[in-house]
Amino acid sequence: VDNASINCANSSYAVCAWVYFDTLPGVAQVATLASRWVNSPPRDFALRAENPGGTVVLRVSMNLNDVATTSGVTILTATWYFVVAWFDSSLGTLNIQVDDGTVFTTSGVSASSANSANLFLGATDDGGASSFLNGRLDQVMLAKRVWTAAERTFLYNSSSGRAYSEL
C-alpha cells in the first residue's frame, strides 16, 4: 500500500514485528520482514534477515547510499523473535533491538527520501516482489515516532507480547 500516512521520509519512525523463521536465507539471500524499499533510491526502509548467520538488519536510504545497522544477534529457526527498528531524526541514528536486548546503533544517518514505494510485509519490491520470508509474522507495527525504552519493553512483555493499542 502506498499511502502518505505510512511514508516515513524526513521523519522519525519505528517498525516492529514478531517473526518466526521456518528456514533462514541461504548465502547471499535476504528474507524481508517489512519494507518500503525499491530497486533504486530514493528508499524508505527494509527490516530483514540477511545471511550469513541470519542476522537481522535494518536499512534506510541516506541520499544515494544505503546505511545499515546490524543487530549482532544470530537468528535460529523455530523461535519467535521480537524485532524493533527505528530511525531517530533528531539524533540521526538508526537502531535495532531483538527481544528487548542490546540496542545496536549507527550514527550520522540522514532521513530517508520521499518515494512512492508500497509497504510490503514478508517481501521487498525490487521491480516485483522478492526476498520472501519463509516463516510467520505477527503484530507488525509502524509508527511515525520513536518508541521509548519503556514502550519497547512493554510491547515485548517478557516474550509474551502486547499489542500497540495497549500502549
Side-chain angles (χ1 to χ4, degrees), residues 39-138:
N39 220 7
S40 58
R43 298 174 173 133
D44 217 340
F45 71 86
L47 178 59
R48 59 197 193 180
E50 293 185 346
N51 196 316
T55 301
V56 177
V57 176
L58 176 73
R59 292 190 184 277
V60 65
S61 177
M62 184 175 76
N63 298 322
L64 297 176
N65 301 315
D66 298 325
V67 176
T69 299
T70 305
S71 70
V73 175
T74 300
I75 301 299
L76 305 172
T77 58
T79 303
W80 281 101
Y81 295 96
F82 182 63
V83 182
V84 183
W86 64 98
F87 170 68
D88 188 324
S89 62
S90 65
L91 298 176
T93 59
L94 184 61
N95 310 273
I96 191 164
Q97 182 180 36
V98 178
D99 290 344
D100 201 31
T102 302
V103 174
F104 296 88
T105 300
T106 298
S107 300
V109 179
S110 300
S112 60
S113 303
N115 68 47
S116 60
N118 291 321
L119 174 64
F120 276 73
L121 300 178
T124 298
D125 183 8
D126 287 330
S130 65
S131 304
F132 295 104
L133 168 69
N134 185 6
R136 300 164 222 171
L137 289 171
D138 193 18

Side-chain angles (χ1 to χ4, degrees), residues 119-163:
L119 174 64
F120 276 73
L121 300 178
T124 298
D125 183 8
D126 287 330
S130 65
S131 304
F132 295 104
L133 168 69
N134 185 6
R136 300 164 222 171
L137 289 171
D138 193 18
Q139 292 289 331
V140 179
M141 299 172 246
L142 174 65
K144 290 177 85 170
R145 69 178 185 89
V146 174
W147 291 313
T148 66
E151 288 172 324
R152 294 189 312 269
T153 297
F154 179 85
L155 290 168
Y156 177 63
N157 191 28
S158 300
S159 79
S160 295
R162 290 193 170 113

